[in-house]
Amino acid sequence: VATKVMPKGMKRRLQRKKSWVKRKTKRCKERYPRAVKVVSLANGVLSLALYFLDVFTDVQLCMAFYWNNHMAWFNLMVVFIALPYAVAMFGIAFYSYKENEGIVRAACVFFSPVLPALCDVYMPFYSLLQNVGCMPDGLTNFMVQYEATRTLSETVLETIPQMVLQVNIYIGIKMEDQLH
């Protein structure tokens, strides 16, 4: 959308900058393939650590709401956390039912409650394994779709509602402080 309303001169400069970055990245991958793999692995580990930190802080906040008897906020947080996970479970079950047959289909549907957690752990590393060439195309296609869906569902169903809730809590606390 931005490129549609952007002035032509700026659009050309942006395209040149993108192609410059693309050339530099390609050259770096050709010259230092191991370094690129190490950086990609470190990025995957960092992404995974941040994911688990997000889960940990969400659980901590839920526990704080529960211990302080804010049951409405506790229930909202549980819904915000569980809804993207349920969407992922349903998506995996639906995808495997549509794409597979027999025992593979049944196993995917049966294990769909734990598969989102496994896919979330695998998500930062699948592109690295794909570049090495030790990942089947079907799994790559699934992971690309899973990552896009998971990112969108977490943003819309968890992150944005949590932000609204946290802003509401902050404003409520500030208003209470002003009254006292």
Side-chain angles (χ1 to χ4, degrees):
V1 173
T3 58
K4 299 287 184 205
V5 295
M6 187 181 300
K8 287 186 188 264
M10 182 177 254
K11 186 176 178 180
R12 274 188 237 113
R13 282 194 303 258
L14 180 64
Q15 287 172 340
R16 275 186 287 202
K17 189 68 123 177
K18 284 169 59 176
S19 63
W20 178 83
V21 169
K22 197 174 191 176
R23 283 193 311 271
K24 290 289 185 184
T25 304
K26 184 178 178 184
R27 192 175 311 145
C28 187
K29 285 180 180 179
E30 290 169 354
R31 286 186 182 171
Y32 312 105
R34 285 191 179 161
V36 169
K37 288 176 187 172
V38 167
V39 169
S40 295
L41 182 64
N43 184 36
V45 169
L46 180 63
S47 295
L48 195 59
L50 290 173
Y51 171 76
F52 282 114
L53 183 63
D54 176 48
V55 171
F56 176 76
T57 57
D58 288 347
V59 170
Q60 289 291 101
L61 187 58
C62 279
M63 290 169 44
F65 287 152
Y66 184 80
W67 289 333
N68 291 304
N69 207 25
H70 295 292
M71 297 314 283
W73 291 346
F74 169 77
N75 290 329
L76 281 173
M77 283 295 295
V78 168
V79 168
F80 295 155
I81 293 168
L83 200 53
Y85 196 85
V87 167
M89 267 178 32
F90 175 76
I92 289 171
F94 181 76
Y95 182 88
S96 63
Y97 188 79
K98 193 174 92 177
E99 296 293 322
N100 297 306
E101 296 177 0
I103 192 80
V104 174
R105 177 189 288 178
C108 288
V109 171
F110 180 75
F111 289 111
S112 65
V114 295
L115 287 177
L118 295 175
C119 288
D120 288 347
V121 169
Y122 185 58
M123 197 166 32
F125 304 107
Y126 81 90
S127 61
L128 182 63
L129 293 173
Q130 176 194 11
N131 292 340
V132 175
C134 60
M135 198 165 114
D137 289 340
L139 185 56
T140 302
N141 293 338
F142 168 75
M143 286 305 297
V144 168
Q145 292 175 28
Y146 178 80
E147 183 177 20
T149 304
R150 188 76 162 129
T151 303
L152 182 64
S153 69
E154 273 210 25
T155 302
V156 172
L157 301 174
E158 181 183 356
T159 307
I160 293 172
Q162 281 181 348
M163 181 188 68
V164 170
L165 177 65
Q166 291 165 359
V167 167
N168 184 29
I169 292 168
Y170 179 77
I171 291 171
I173 290 171
K174 285 296 182 186
M175 289 178 76
E176 268 185 32
D177 287 348
Q178 288 179 353
L179 291 175
H180 294 289

